Amino acid sequence: PDLSLPQQWPERLERSWRVEVGLGHSSPVAADGLVYVLSREGEQEVIRALDLRQGRQVWGQAYDAPYEVNSAAAAHGPGPKSTPLVAGGRVYTLGISGILCAWDAQNGERAWQHVFAGEFEHTSPLYGTAMSPLAFEDLVIAHVGGHDGGAIAAFDAATGKRQWEWRGDGPAYASPILASVRNRQMLITQTQRHIVALDPANGRLLWQREFTTEYEQNCVTPLFAHELLVVSGYNRPVEALSLSRNERRWEASPAWENADLSFYMSTPVERDGLLFGFAANQAGTFVCLEVKTGKQLWASPGRQGENAALALIGSLVAALTNEGRLVFFAASREGYQVAAEYTLADSPTWASPAFVGQTVLVKDETGLAGWRLPQ
C-alpha cells in the first residue's frame, strides 16, 4: 500500500464518507481514483464503482443471483465474499453462488459472464464462494464449481473463453497465489481437500499434497517466502513446506511445524524473515514467528477477535479485526508494540481493508467507508 504513516498518530481518524452498498464481506479494491465493491441487494448482486474522494457512485450494475445460505454460515449472511480483480481496464467479480463476470472498469459495461449451472452439481462450496480471481498474463484464473466437484479454470481475459482447466478437486475458501519457485512459476492454492500447484500457463498439475480441515473449510491463502510455503487451517498447526524437484517431479516436503499455533481464516504476512499472523489461540491473538524455523518469538494478549485481516504498511502491520477495530503494531521481533488503534465500524468487518493514498477503505456489514489518515 502507498500509505504514508503519520508523524504523530491522532486520537481518532476522520471519516471522509460512508455509503450504503448492501450485504457482504467482499473486500473493496481501489484503482485509478475509483473504488470497486461487490455486494448483495435482495436477490441480486451489485458491482459498483465509487469515487475514492467522496464515495459518490460513478456506475453500478446488478444481476440476478438467488442464493440460500448454509445454516452453518448464517451469521455471515448471503452477501459475496470474493474480492474483485482489477486488471487491464476490466473488473472481474465472482459472486457467492459462483457467477463469474467481467466489467469495463470505467463505465461498468458487462463484457462477459459465466454461471456454470448445469456444468457442475454445485456452483459454490458449502459455505459460499470466497476465493478471489487472479490475473496471469492474458488470463483470469478462478476455482469454479462447488462441493465435491469443480475446476481451477483459466479464461481469456478479453473474451471469457476457457483456455484450460484442472478438475482434480472442488474449491475451498482460500485464494490462489503466484510464486516463482526455483525460476518456475506456480499457481498455488488450498482446494477442498488438498494444497495444489499448477502451471499457470496451461493448468498442468505440478504437485499436490493432501490437506484437510474439520468440516472441509480450508480457507487460509498460502504464503510463499524465503523458499518456503507457509500453510495452516482450522485446528491444524502452522507449517511450512519446502518445494523441490528431483529428476522426474516436484515435491512439497515438510520443513517445520509449530503445533502450538493455528491460523483459521487469516492469512499471515512476512517482512525481513519474520511471519506475522493471527492465531485462533486464546480467542484470537497476534503472533510473530521466524519464517525459516517456525519458532514463535512473541504473542499478543488474547481475545483480539474471531478474525483479523493483515497488511504490511512500511514498518508496521495493519490489522482489521472482525469487530471493526484497526490496529497498527510494529513489524518487529521485539514483542507486540501497538502504535495506534481505532474503532472504525459498529457492524462486522470480515472484509480486508484497502489502503490507497491516505485513505483507509473499510467494508462493514452493509456499508463502505473511507477514513482519512493524516500524513
Side-chain angles (χ1 to χ4, degrees):
D2 56 356
L3 191 74
S4 297
L5 297 173
Q7 297 288 329
Q8 186 171 352
W9 291 92
E11 206 173 300
R12 59 182 62 84
L13 297 188
E14 176 187 342
R15 191 173 74 184
S16 302
W17 51 265
R18 182 185 181 277
V19 294
E20 287 287 329
V21 294
L23 288 169
H25 302 301
S26 173
S27 302
V29 179
D32 299 324
L34 296 178
V35 181
Y36 303 95
V37 61
L38 179 66
S39 57
R40 169 173 292 274
E41 290 187 339
E43 293 298 296
Q44 292 189 313
E45 288 179 333
V46 184
I47 175 69
R48 286 180 173 85
L50 308 177
D51 175 78
L52 176 63
R53 295 182 63 186
Q54 301 172 331
R56 176 183 56 86
Q57 181 167 313
V58 176
W59 59 258
Q61 293 277 26
Y63 56 91
D64 292 338
Y67 180 75
E68 186 174 338
V69 183
N70 185 305
S71 59
H76 289 263
K81 305 172 184 177
S82 168
T83 299
L85 165 68
V86 181
R90 291 255 177 94
V91 182
Y92 302 90
T93 59
L94 184 61
I96 194 168
S97 63
I99 298 173
L100 179 66
C101 299
W103 315 89
D104 185 284
Q106 291 302 310
N107 61 31
E109 182 179 338
R110 186 166 62 191
W112 51 263
Q113 174 178 292
H114 292 298
V115 177
F116 305 109
E119 184 174 346
F120 303 101
E121 183 177 357
H122 307 287
T123 59
S124 62
L126 291 178
Y127 313 116
T129 298
M131 74 80 59
S132 301
L134 178 144
F136 175 75
E137 296 181 348
D138 58 352
L139 301 174
V140 172
I141 300 172
H143 201 160
V144 299
H147 188 67
D148 287 344
I152 299 177
F155 303 86
D156 182 279
T159 66
K161 182 180 178 182
R162 200 170 313 195
Q163 301 299 300
W164 59 254
E165 66 176 20
W166 175 81
R167 291 196 172 222
D169 201 3
Y173 308 93
S175 294
I177 63 168
L178 287 171
S180 180
V181 184
R182 304 181 192 278
N183 296 317
R184 180 63 182 267
Q185 281 277 71
M186 292 186 183
L187 176 89
I188 304 174
T189 191
Q190 288 190 3
T191 64
Q192 187 177 333
R193 299 186 182 96
H194 295 86
I195 299 170
V196 304
L198 307 180
D199 185 327
N202 56 29
R204 186 168 67 86
L205 179 67
L206 299 176
W207 58 265
Q208 68 176 331
R209 184 178 179 85
E210 185 177 336
F211 192 90
T212 58
T213 49
E214 293 176 54
Y215 313 111
E216 295 190 332
Q217 49 184 325
N218 287 351
C219 54
V220 177
T221 296
L223 172 74
F224 185 71
H226 297 273
E227 301 302 314
L228 293 173
L229 186 72
V230 180
V231 295
S232 190
Y234 180 58
N235 282 347
R236 287 195 59 132
V238 179
E239 56 189 289
L241 302 174
S242 176
L243 309 181
S244 61
R245 180 175 173 82
N246 59 28
E247 291 182 358
R248 293 184 300 167
R249 59 194 176 103
W250 286 92
E251 292 183 343
S253 307
W256 55 256
E257 178 181 288
N258 187 320
D260 296 327
L261 296 174
S262 178
F263 300 154
Y264 176 20
M265 289 178 278
S266 179
T267 297
V269 294
E270 182 270 339
R271 184 175 190 265
D272 297 337
L274 300 176
L275 186 77
F276 301 94
F278 184 76
N281 307 58
Q282 300 176 33
T285 180
F286 298 109
V287 295
C288 173
L289 287 72
E290 289 181 344
V291 171
K292 291 187 177 179
T293 66
K295 177 185 175 182
Q296 180 179 321
L297 301 179
W298 56 257
S300 75
R303 307 195 67 81
Q304 301 287 339
E306 289 183 71
N307 188 57
L310 308 182
L312 282 171
I313 310 288
S315 61
L316 298 181
V317 177
L320 179 68
T321 75
N322 62 293
E323 296 166 342
R325 192 165 53 94
L326 181 63
V327 184
F328 294 91
F329 62 86
S332 162
R333 63 170 55 240
E334 304 304 325
Y336 181 60
Q337 305 167 47
V338 175
E341 181 177 321
Y342 306 101
T343 297
L344 302 185
D346 55 11
S347 67
T349 46
W350 291 92
S352 296
F355 301 89
V356 54
Q358 294 308 110
T359 300
V360 183
L361 297 164
V362 175
K363 173 68 173 72
D364 59 36
E365 190 170 25
T366 63
L368 180 67
W371 295 82
R372 186 78 184 159
L373 198 66
Q375 290 180 295

